[in-house]
Amino acid sequence: MTAVLNRPFGDGVRPGQAPAPPPTDREATLLGTPMPVDRMRALLVTVVLALAAGLVRLQNLGFPTDRGAPVFDEKHYVPQAWQMLRNGGYEDNAGYELVVHPPLGKQLIALGEWAFGYNGWGWRFSAAIAGVLIVVLVVRIARRLTRSTLLGAIAGVLAICDGVLHIQSRMGMLDIFLTLFVLAAFGCLLMDREQVRQRLAAGVRFGWVDDSPYGPRLGFRWWRFAAGVLLGLATGVKWSGVYYVVAFGLLCVAFDVAARRAAGVRRPWVGMLRRDLAPAVWGIGVVAVLAYLSTWWAWFASETATDRHYVEIENVPAGPFGFVPAALRSLVAYTVNVLEFHESLATPKNDPHPWESKPWTWPMGLRPMLYYHEQGAAAAGCGESSCVRATMLIGTPALWWLALPMLAWGAWRAVFRTDWRYAAVLAGYLAGLLPWFVNLDRQMYFFYATPIAPFLVLGLTLALGHVLGRRHHGRERRGTGLLAVALYVGLVVANFVWLWPILNGDSITQDRWQAELWLPSWR
C-alpha cells in the first residue's frame, strides 16, 4: 500500500497532469449544497443585526443595581474583577475566598471596569459585547447550516429576542462568556468539517483518495485547532466548558468518519482511528488544556494570588509528582479544593434557595430567576402610587416552550434522515443540559442553561427552514411557508416586547407585574 503523505489540497493537479474531470457523485456528496453567493447582502444583514443587538443590549446598561452595588451573583464576580484590575490579572484577597471559577471571565469583566469604572456600565460592558458577538455568530452559523441568508437573519432576530441571552448579556456574570466561546468553537468545527470535505473531494477528483483503504491523511487543520483553543478558553471561564470539550471532540471524529465514508474510503472507521483520532485528541483535547492553562498566566506570574503557593504553605508532599513544578501542583490542589466546594454545594433540605431550579425545568424555562425587585418609592414611575421594578431571567416562551418539540424533531431528523445539521446542534444543546443530571442534589439555577440558548435558536431555525420550503417547491407552497415563518417570528418579537419591562427593570404597575408572571412556577 502506498503511504499517502503530502498530497495537494488546493486544485489537486500534479505537474503534467491532464485537466480535472467533471465532478463525480462522490464529490457532490462531499461538498454538499454550495453557500449562497449573496455575500455582500449577508454581510449587510449581519451588520444591521449586530447594530440592533448592540442597541438592545447596551441601552440603560447601568440599571438596575442594588443601591449602587451589583445584583445577585454579580456580587461575587464584579469585585473579584475589580481586584484583578488592581493586581494585574489575579485575585489575592482572602476576604473573597469564594474564588470558585477560573479567571478568564472575571478578567473580561475587568476590561469593562477599566474602561468605565466601578459601576454598572463598567461591570456589564464586556458581557454586552459578548452578547452582541453571540448574535453575529448565530447569524453566520445559521446561514452556513441552512445555506440561506434569510434563515440566518431569522436566527439573528430570534437570538436578539431571547430573554436569557438578553439578560445574561446585561449582567456582570460569567455564563455569557462561556456561551460565546462555546458557540465560536462550534462554528470553527463546522468550518473544519467543510475544509475536510473539500480536501477529500480533491482526493476523489484526482484519484489519490483510494491510495489507501483508510483514506488519506488530511494535513494540519487550523479550524480544529481554533476550536480547541476556544474550548480551552471556555473552560477558563467555567469548568463546565469541559462538557463541550468532550461533546465537540466526539462530534469532530463523527464528522471525520462520515466524510471518509462519503469519499468512498473502504474502511472509514479504521481510517478515522488511524488517521484522525490522535490528531483530534491533540487538536481538541491537548490544545484545550494548554489554552486553559494559559488563562492562569497572571496567577502563575504572581507571588500573592489565591493559593498560589498552596503546596508549600500546606506542606503537601509531592510524592511521585516531584518533577512537576510547584506552581502547577498548587494549581491542581487549588482546583481539587474548588471541585470539593462545588460537589458539596448541595441544596439544604429545609432551606432551599427560593429561585433554585433543576435541569429538567430548563428546556422550557419553568423556573426563572429574579435578579432584582423593588416596589414602593424606589420603583416609582409607572403613573400609580404602587409600582414595581423587577429584572427576571426568563427565556422567551415563544422560543423556549418549543424546546421539547425541537429536540424530538431534531432527533428524528438526525436518526432517520441522517441530517448531520440537527445532530450537530443537538450535540451542542445536550452538552449544556445532560451533565447537570449527574448530581441532582447540587444547587442549580436557570442561568446555568445560558449556553443552550443559541443551540435552541439554531435548532428552531433549521425547523423553520422546513416550514419555509425549498426553492423547487411551488410558489404557493413557498408563499404559505413564508407566511407561517413570518407569523412565528412576529410572535417571538411580540413576546419579547411584552416581557421587556421585567427584562430591563422598567417601572410597571402591580397589575402589569402580575400579568407578566404567566406560570405559578414563575412566582
Side-chain angles (χ1 to χ4, degrees):
M1 300 179 188
T2 303
V4 182
L5 297 175
N6 296 318
R7 298 298 194 186
F9 292 134
D11 57 12
V13 180
R14 299 185 178 101
Q17 187 173 342
T24 65
D25 289 342
R26 281 196 290 170
E27 284 181 78
T29 300
L30 281 165
L31 297 176
T33 305
M35 288 292 293
V37 296
D38 57 346
R39 297 179 64 182
M40 287 305 300
R41 184 177 69 161
L43 178 61
L44 180 62
V45 165
T46 305
V47 170
V48 169
L49 288 174
L51 292 174
L55 179 64
V56 170
R57 283 357 180 201
L58 290 167
Q59 58 80 32
N60 202 20
L61 185 63
F63 183 84
T65 63
D66 184 4
R67 296 170 179 81
V71 301
F72 197 68
D73 269 11
E74 286 185 328
K75 288 182 169 65
H76 298 304
Y77 311 122
V78 167
Q80 290 170 354
W82 185 253
Q83 187 186 114
M84 286 179 157
L85 189 61
R86 182 197 69 196
N87 290 343
Y90 63 90
E91 302 132 305
D92 65 354
N93 190 336
Y96 298 143
E97 185 56 34
L98 194 66
V99 180
V100 295
H101 291 293
L104 182 57
K106 290 165 282 187
Q107 290 168 345
L108 293 173
I109 293 172
L111 291 177
E113 295 176 339
W114 170 78
F116 296 98
Y118 194 71
N119 54 53
W121 266 87
W123 62 64
R124 294 172 184 157
F125 181 75
S126 296
I129 297 303
V132 173
L133 292 176
I134 286 170
V135 171
V136 170
L137 286 170
V138 165
V139 173
R140 305 304 295 184
I141 290 172
R143 181 175 181 266
R144 188 159 294 276
L145 285 172
T146 63
R147 298 312 204 235
S148 167
T149 299
L150 172 61
L151 288 171
I154 288 171
V157 173
L158 299 184
I160 291 172
C161 294
D162 173 44
V164 169
L165 291 177
H166 178 76
I167 286 287
Q168 293 303 118
S169 299
R170 295 168 54 81
M171 285 287 155
M173 295 168 61
L174 306 181
D175 303 83
I176 199 68
F177 303 114
L178 170 65
T179 304
L180 172 64
F181 290 126
V182 164
L183 186 61
F186 181 74
C188 287
L189 281 186
L190 296 184
M191 295 300 297
D192 175 69
R193 176 186 180 276
E194 293 195 10
Q195 184 184 69
V196 164
R197 285 173 169 259
Q198 289 167 359
R199 292 177 177 182
L200 287 172
V204 170
R205 170 162 289 233
F206 299 104
W208 46 264
V209 78
D210 297 319
D211 288 356
S212 164
Y214 313 117
R217 302 186 189 279
L218 295 171
F220 193 84
R221 292 158 59 172
W222 284 104
W223 286 110
R224 184 175 63 186
F225 176 83
V229 171
L230 289 163
L231 290 170
L233 298 181
T235 309
V237 174
K238 289 184 102 171
W239 284 336
S240 49
V242 171
Y243 305 147
Y244 292 93
V245 174
V246 175
F248 288 175
L250 294 174
L251 184 63
C252 183
V253 297
F255 281 163
D256 290 346
V257 170
R260 289 182 183 277
R261 179 183 288 117
V265 171
R266 282 167 282 172
R267 303 183 67 182
W269 280 96
V270 178
M272 179 275 293
L273 293 174
R274 294 188 58 156
R275 306 285 201 220
D276 303 322
L277 183 60
V281 170
W282 182 88
I284 298 291
V286 176
V287 169
V289 170
L290 295 176
Y292 167 76
L293 290 175
S294 74
T295 66
W296 293 87
W297 61 271
W299 188 91
F300 281 118
S302 75
E303 290 297 323
T304 58
T306 302
D307 288 345
R308 169 62 179 80
H309 291 283
Y310 183 87
V311 295
E312 294 101 319
I313 294 171
E314 299 294 331
N315 293 316
V316 177
F321 299 101
F323 64 93
V324 177
L328 192 55
R329 285 188 282 120
S330 289
L331 180 59
V332 171
Y334 179 14
T335 301
V336 170
N337 290 339
V338 174
L339 283 173
E340 290 176 353
F341 165 81
H342 283 294
E343 288 296 320
S344 64
L345 191 63
T347 301
K349 292 184 178 180
N350 299 321
D351 187 26
H353 191 282
W355 293 101
E356 184 180 1
S357 63
K358 296 301 182 183
W360 57 79
T361 69
W362 297 349
M364 294 182 65
L366 297 180
R367 186 58 174 164
M369 293 208 63
L370 186 63
Y371 282 161
Y372 167 83
H373 183 269
E374 289 280 6
Q375 57 185 11
C382 70
E384 295 186 2
S385 58
S386 180
C387 301
V388 174
R389 288 185 184 270
T391 300
M392 181 173 275
L393 181 68
I394 294 179
T396 305
L399 292 169
W400 287 74
W401 289 3
L402 292 180
L404 297 181
M406 184 278 290
L407 291 171
W409 172 252
W412 185 84
R413 289 287 308 182
V415 174
F416 296 104
R417 289 293 183 268
T418 60
D419 193 329
W420 69 270
R421 303 170 305 162
Y422 284 96
V425 169
L426 290 184
Y429 186 99
L430 295 176
L433 178 65
L434 295 182
W436 296 102
F437 284 86
V438 174
N439 182 10
L440 292 175
D441 291 332
R442 188 191 189 281
Q443 275 190 357
M444 302 180 202
Y445 304 98
F446 185 43
F447 63 81
Y448 292 3
T450 305
I452 74 176
F455 294 100
L456 170 64
V457 168
L458 292 172
L460 291 174
T461 302
L462 289 174
L464 290 175
H466 292 288
V467 175
L468 183 62
R470 296 180 178 273
R471 287 189 177 88
H472 66 267
H473 290 159
R475 181 175 179 181
E476 183 175 354
R477 164 66 181 83
R478 288 274 290 178
T480 304
L482 182 60
L483 175 62
V485 170
L487 289 173
Y488 174 71
V489 174
L491 175 64
V492 172
V493 174
N495 197 178
F496 180 66
V497 171
W498 173 263
L499 292 172
W500 181 268
I502 62 171
L503 296 175
N504 296 276
D506 291 350
S507 179
I508 56 177
T509 65
Q510 288 285 351
D511 288 342
R512 177 62 186 272
W513 169 240
Q514 295 301 321
E516 295 280 0
L517 305 178
W518 290 4
L519 300 178
S521 61
W522 289 17
R523 299 177 182 274

